[in-house]
């Protein structure tokens, strides 16, 4: 199948799932117990599962039709997943530090929610990150790489990744550019280890630190599952003081550039992981 057809089909399928998810979730809400119909965490869980379960399924089917496993973890999955976790946490930590030097970070008081709610929110964030990485890096990027080569595939998948978040509400040019840079980061990690383990780890750590670890999303306030620490960003929009928070800040741009550029230079110098052994693939993880 031509690469352009794969790209357009993958983008169209993702958009269709996105626009269908909200009406389906709304139709399912009355089926919930009355006490759950007004619970933000339950509603967010339902909306997430309605979108991300089909997204992961489409990615797995697309990979199977292309002759590979979209959920391949790659070489040394445990160690590379830990590397991804470290890079994601380092990225958010550096972005917050940049914003703090600009006087944009404010700590908000309040008790964290119960352990069960935090644990469930963490599990849901992991599933979201894994589904997106299986779709954009495990399937789309790999299928395009077989036809266009690695570098164009990384860029194309990152553009599609940014387009999804544009549909999801990202509006500021800096925010969209940062999401694209994030897609490049995850794509380069997937390319380096020949699988999604490092990309899932980085994506999950980034989202977890931003949402549950530091309470940066939404800005201001806390998400449906609460946060260990609630930080709000204020002041100039380019330093995080907007509704799009750290994603819309130059602090995030600097942080992502500091992570992406070295990986890209290593790629240009040929420092990448070996190709996967024929016929061997890691089992899919939920």
């Amino acid at each position: 199948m031509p690469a352009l057809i794969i790209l357009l089909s993958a983008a169209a399928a993702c958009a269709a799932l996105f626009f269908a998810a909200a009406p389906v979730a709304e139709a399912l809400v009355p089926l919930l117990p009355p006490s759950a119909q007004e619970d933000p965490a339950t509603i967010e869980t339902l909306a997430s599962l309605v979108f991300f379960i089909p997204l992961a399924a489409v990615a797995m089917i697309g990979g199977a039709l292309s002759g590979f496993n979209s959920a391949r973890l790659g070489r040394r999955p445990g160690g590379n997943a830990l590397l991804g976790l470290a890079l994601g946490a380092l990225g958010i930590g550096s972005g917050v530090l940049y914003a703090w030097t600009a006087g944009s970070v404010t700590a908000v008081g309040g008790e964290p929610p119960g352990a069960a709610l935090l644990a469930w929110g963490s599990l849901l964030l992991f599933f979201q990150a894994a589904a997106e990485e299986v779709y954009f890096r495990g399937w789309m990027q790999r299928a395009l790489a077989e036809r266009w080569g690695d570098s164009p595939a990384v860029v194309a998948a990152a553009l599609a990744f940014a387009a999804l978040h544009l549909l999801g509400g990202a509006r500021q040019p800096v925010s969209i550019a940062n999401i694209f840079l994030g897609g490049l980061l995850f794509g380069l990690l997937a390319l380096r280890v020949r699988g999604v383990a490092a990309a899932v780890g980085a994506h999950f750590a980034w989202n977890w630190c931003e949402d549950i670890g530091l309470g940066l999303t939404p800005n201001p306030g806390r998400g449906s599952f609460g946060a260990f620490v609630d930080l709000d960003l204020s002041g100039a929009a380019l330093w995080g003081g907007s509704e799009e928070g750290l994603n819309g800040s130059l602090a995030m741009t600097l942080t992502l550039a500091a992570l992406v550029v070295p990986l890209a230079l290593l790629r240009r110098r040929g420092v990448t992981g070996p190709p996967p052994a024929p016929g061997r693939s890691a089992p899919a993880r939920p």
Side-chain angles (χ1 to χ4, degrees), residues 5 14 25 40 62 88 114 125 143 158 191 203 215 228 242 249-250 255 263:
I5 298 298
C14 186
L125 285 177
L191 183 62
H203 196 159
F228 285 100
S242 71
S249 71
L250 291 177
T255 295
L263 284 173

Side-chain angles (χ1 to χ4, degrees), residues 104 234-242:
S104 300
S234 58
L238 288 180
W239 288 101
S242 71

Side-chain angles (χ1 to χ4, degrees), residues 3-224:
L4 185 59
I5 298 298
I6 293 174
L7 178 61
L8 293 177
S9 299
C14 186
L17 290 173
F18 178 84
F19 286 116
V24 171
E26 290 177 5
L28 293 175
V29 168
L31 302 179
L32 298 172
S35 60
Q37 294 181 15
E38 302 297 328
D39 178 48
T42 301
I43 300 301
E44 183 172 340
T45 297
L46 178 63
S48 294
L49 295 179
V50 165
F51 174 66
F52 286 103
I53 289 177
L55 189 75
V58 169
M60 295 302 295
I61 294 170
L65 292 175
S66 299
F68 57 77
N69 177 10
S70 298
R72 178 190 294 275
L73 298 179
R75 64 191 184 102
R76 296 195 293 273
N80 282 313
L82 290 175
L83 172 64
L85 288 170
L87 287 175
L90 175 64
I92 282 291
S94 299
V96 172
L97 182 60
Y98 279 129
W100 177 78
T101 60
S104 300
V105 180
T106 302
V108 180
E111 292 294 325
L117 188 60
L118 288 170
W120 177 249
S122 299
L123 182 62
L124 188 66
L125 285 177
F126 175 79
F127 178 68
Q128 292 172 356
E132 288 190 359
E133 290 311 309
V134 168
Y135 194 92
F136 289 103
R137 260 60 69 173
W139 172 39
M140 182 187 294
Q141 179 174 303
R142 182 172 175 185
L144 294 176
E146 291 181 352
R147 293 155 177 84
W148 282 347
D150 290 335
S151 297
V154 170
V155 173
L159 286 171
F161 181 69
L164 171 62
H165 289 78
L166 178 62
L167 292 178
R171 292 294 180 267
Q172 295 181 14
V174 172
S175 182
I176 297 169
N178 285 340
I179 294 168
F180 170 70
L181 286 173
L184 290 181
L185 171 64
F186 303 144
L188 289 169
L189 286 172
L191 183 62
R192 183 171 177 78
V193 308
R194 304 291 180 175
V196 299
V200 170
H203 196 159
F204 168 65
W206 199 288
N207 289 356
W208 187 90
C209 291
E210 191 174 30
D211 293 359
I212 292 179
L214 300 175
L216 293 166
T217 303
N219 186 49
R222 298 188 186 193
S224 302

